[in-house]
Amino acid sequence: MFYVIPPNGEVPFYILEDCVLTRLNYLRRLHEETTDEFDGKFEYLLENSAYDEIGHFVLRLLACVSSDLWIYWISKESLLFRHRLDNTSPRQLYKLFKQIIWRVQLYKGHGNATETTLIEFCKFYSQPLTFKHLVSNCQNCNEFVYKVKFEIVPDLVKERELVLNNGYVITPCSTWKKVLQSLFCTYLINELNLMKKQAQYTVKRDLRLQFLSEKVQSYLFKEGTVHGRITIGNIDAESERFPPCMRHLHSVLKSRHRLSHYARLYYSLFLKEIGMKLEDSIAFWRQEYSKPHTCASVCSHNWQANEKKFVYSIRHMYGLEGSRRNYRTPGCDQICAGISGTTYEGGCPFKDFDVNTLRNLLHASLTEDETEKLLNNVAIKSPEMLCTGFLKLVRKDNADNAAVNSPVQFYQRIIG
């Protein structure tokens, strides 16, 4: 479950590929809470099996050469780890603690802070008295307390649910699953950083791994695999996590109930690509375009008079009419190129908006100091780098240095 030692032996490439794609499919289902719809090969996901380890370690290797896969995969793999923890028997849990101690001590010689903490954590909770309490009735209690250095569990610090004291996060026994899940994430990130340079060389010189890497990228980011679950019921709340360009379009639509042609097109494609189903998309645009508007110079259409045209247009964007192409959201370069016209509400906020409009947009997510620091860089940094800086401030995370190059990528990193 913790994946310390890679598997040995040989495996046909078609099985290796199947292990990877099956795992990705299940991770996506787990994230979307639709595992009951999973129809892949469960034998590739059996805990501690060779197939399970192959799927994990090959994806770990491929994640080293793709920042998008890195962010996507770590969050989903962590979700799988927690799912397994929640369904582990006391006997399996005790065995897991002992395996982590043995494997980390045996296989990892450098003993960094994360590995040392892992060993100490497992030793602490595998003590007879502590373990008995852990698996009996440990709920919302702090009978046993374990301290972890704050830099090892950054996601727990970010949540601000636990007490910080002299550089340590104080974790009561009732939060042991959260702590172990956080240690799992930190361990994975450390391993990826250690592997990164060698992994890039390994993948580049092996045509089979290049082929598999391209196939994984296509599966995740090019063939309509969604990155969220956007519905007509949660879109207003979810819009707070949209990139500034799309958040602005959502705000304009909600206030005016209309968007100009290209703004509506770009926003529709964005919603499709981040997970809004066709039925919800039709219901969402029907809801807005059925309301009175105050922007006749932008769009005077209404749903009642133009329903067939609207439905056809939406179905066309979903690849169900016309040429049946899988249309995608424009990237940052296309958005920054801009579309001329005084009535166009879109564009890149970091390139096209005046200072006051941009300040108001950023201030919805950032503090005054953070907003001003970002605004001071508008004249000297590219829009992509500014948007990346905004993303890091929102996430409270500086782990990834790759620039944002599309609205979908921004959202995927936020939820990842």
Side-chain angles (χ1 to χ4, degrees):
M1 188 195 291
F2 217 89
Y3 306 105
V4 177
I5 305 174
N8 292 318
E10 297 180 358
V11 62
F13 186 75
Y14 75 91
I15 291 181
L16 183 147
E17 179 184 333
D18 212 8
C19 288
V20 169
L21 296 180
T22 298
R23 191 179 192 86
L24 280 177
N25 186 16
Y26 186 77
L27 290 175
R28 178 169 63 87
R29 293 287 186 190
L30 189 63
H31 173 68
E32 295 175 356
E33 299 178 357
T34 58
T35 50
D36 55 324
E37 298 176 17
F38 175 73
D39 58 358
K41 298 178 180 178
F42 273 106
E43 60 265 35
Y44 290 160
L45 297 163
L46 290 176
E47 198 174 318
N48 296 322
S49 69
Y51 292 142
D52 177 57
E53 291 178 344
I54 287 168
H56 171 91
F57 278 100
V58 173
L59 278 171
R60 186 189 291 190
L61 176 69
L62 298 180
C64 291
V65 298
S66 167
S67 59
D68 286 327
L69 178 58
W70 176 316
I71 295 166
Y72 177 89
W73 176 69
I74 285 181
S75 63
K76 307 302 180 293
E77 197 73 31
S78 171
L79 194 62
L80 175 61
F81 179 76
R82 179 57 185 265
H83 175 70
R84 286 173 167 174
L85 270 187
D86 289 339
N87 294 279
T88 297
S89 69
R91 184 176 179 180
Q92 291 170 323
L93 178 61
Y94 187 78
K95 186 177 179 181
L96 173 65
F97 285 153
K98 291 300 182 181
Q99 279 184 342
I100 291 173
I101 295 169
W102 176 73
R103 290 183 178 183
V104 172
Q105 285 178 332
L106 179 69
Y107 191 72
K108 301 293 180 183
H110 36 84
N112 61 36
T114 302
E115 290 160 8
T116 302
T117 302
L118 256 175
I119 293 170
E120 291 175 352
F121 177 91
C122 292
K123 284 182 176 179
F124 177 80
Y125 279 115
S126 59
Q127 295 175 95
L129 186 62
T130 315
F131 186 78
K132 184 178 180 181
H133 171 76
L134 207 66
V135 298
S136 58
N137 192 26
C138 179
Q139 294 180 352
N140 300 319
C141 72
N142 56 1
E143 186 170 338
F144 295 93
V145 174
Y146 187 81
K147 296 193 299 183
V148 188
K149 288 183 179 179
F150 78 93
E151 66 267 23
I152 297 176
V153 285
D155 47 340
L156 295 184
V157 175
K158 186 166 65 174
E159 289 176 9
R160 299 181 181 179
E161 292 181 4
L162 300 173
V163 176
L164 274 171
N165 184 20
N166 293 326
Y168 286 87
V169 180
I170 311 301
T171 64
C173 49
S174 57
T175 63
W176 72 270
K177 287 182 182 179
K178 269 190 174 185
V179 179
L180 190 56
Q181 183 182 10
S182 181
L183 288 172
F184 177 75
C185 280
T186 306
Y187 173 79
L188 272 189
I189 291 169
N190 289 345
E191 288 296 297
L192 286 163
N193 283 322
L194 286 172
M195 290 172 60
K196 198 168 187 179
K197 188 174 182 181
Q198 184 62 36
Q200 290 175 340
Y201 172 74
T202 301
V203 173
K204 284 179 182 177
R205 72 173 185 168
D206 193 317
L207 290 176
R208 297 168 304 168
L209 290 176
Q210 287 182 34
F211 166 79
L212 184 57
S213 179
E214 290 171 3
K215 198 160 188 175
V216 168
Q217 290 290 321
S218 178
Y219 177 87
L220 289 178
F221 306 116
K222 294 180 182 177
E223 293 183 352
T225 300
V226 300
H227 303 295
R229 296 188 71 190
I230 306 299
T231 68
I232 192 170
N234 70 9
I235 187 170
D236 289 335
E238 203 65 22
S239 68
E240 296 179 8
R241 304 202 286 178
F242 289 175
C245 55
M246 295 300 161
R247 184 172 184 171
H248 172 70
L249 291 182
H250 183 80
S251 176
V252 171
L253 177 63
K254 283 295 179 177
S255 62
R256 299 181 184 174
H257 310 298
R258 298 293 186 277
L259 289 175
S260 59
H261 173 73
Y262 282 104
R264 186 173 75 247
L265 172 65
Y266 289 178
Y267 190 47
S268 295
L269 290 173
F270 172 73
L271 293 179
K272 180 199 83 166
E273 207 165 344
I274 64 171
M276 179 172 271
K277 294 181 179 179
L278 174 65
E279 296 78 10
D280 271 318
S281 183
I282 292 173
F284 173 68
W285 290 105
R286 179 194 296 120
Q287 177 179 277
E288 293 303 323
Y289 271 67
S290 295
K291 295 176 181 178
H293 62 89
T294 57
C295 52
S297 60
V298 174
C299 178
S300 59
H301 297 100
N302 63 73
W303 190 271
Q304 292 83 346
N306 304 99
E307 180 174 1
K308 287 185 178 179
K309 177 182 176 182
F310 280 124
V311 171
Y312 179 89
S313 175
I314 295 168
R315 285 177 55 83
H316 190 272
M317 282 184 278
Y318 277 74
L320 299 173
E321 301 288 355
S323 60
R324 298 183 183 273
R325 285 176 53 195
N326 182 25
Y327 293 95
R328 301 190 65 198
T329 312
C332 294
D333 52 350
Q334 187 174 342
I335 291 174
C336 285
I339 296 168
S340 59
T342 56
T343 61
Y344 179 56
E345 319 91 317
C348 174
F350 295 105
K351 174 180 174 291
D352 300 316
F353 288 16
D354 62 66
V355 174
N356 289 332
T357 305
L358 180 57
R359 179 182 285 110
N360 291 335
L361 183 61
L362 298 179
H363 197 51
S365 303
L366 305 178
T367 65
E368 263 188 58
D369 287 345
E370 290 171 333
T371 299
E372 293 306 317
K373 283 179 183 177
L374 205 55
L375 288 173
N376 290 337
N377 288 316
V378 167
I380 58 176
K381 289 189 176 181
S382 68
E384 290 91 343
M385 293 306 298
L386 290 166
C387 196
T388 303
F390 173 75
L391 171 67
K392 290 180 178 180
L393 288 171
V394 172
R395 280 176 54 96
K396 312 294 183 188
D397 180 10
N398 289 307
D400 184 54
N401 293 318
V404 170
N405 53 43
S406 79
V408 174
Q409 186 188 54
F410 180 104
Y411 180 73
Q412 187 256 324
R413 290 184 180 181
I414 280 287
I415 68 172

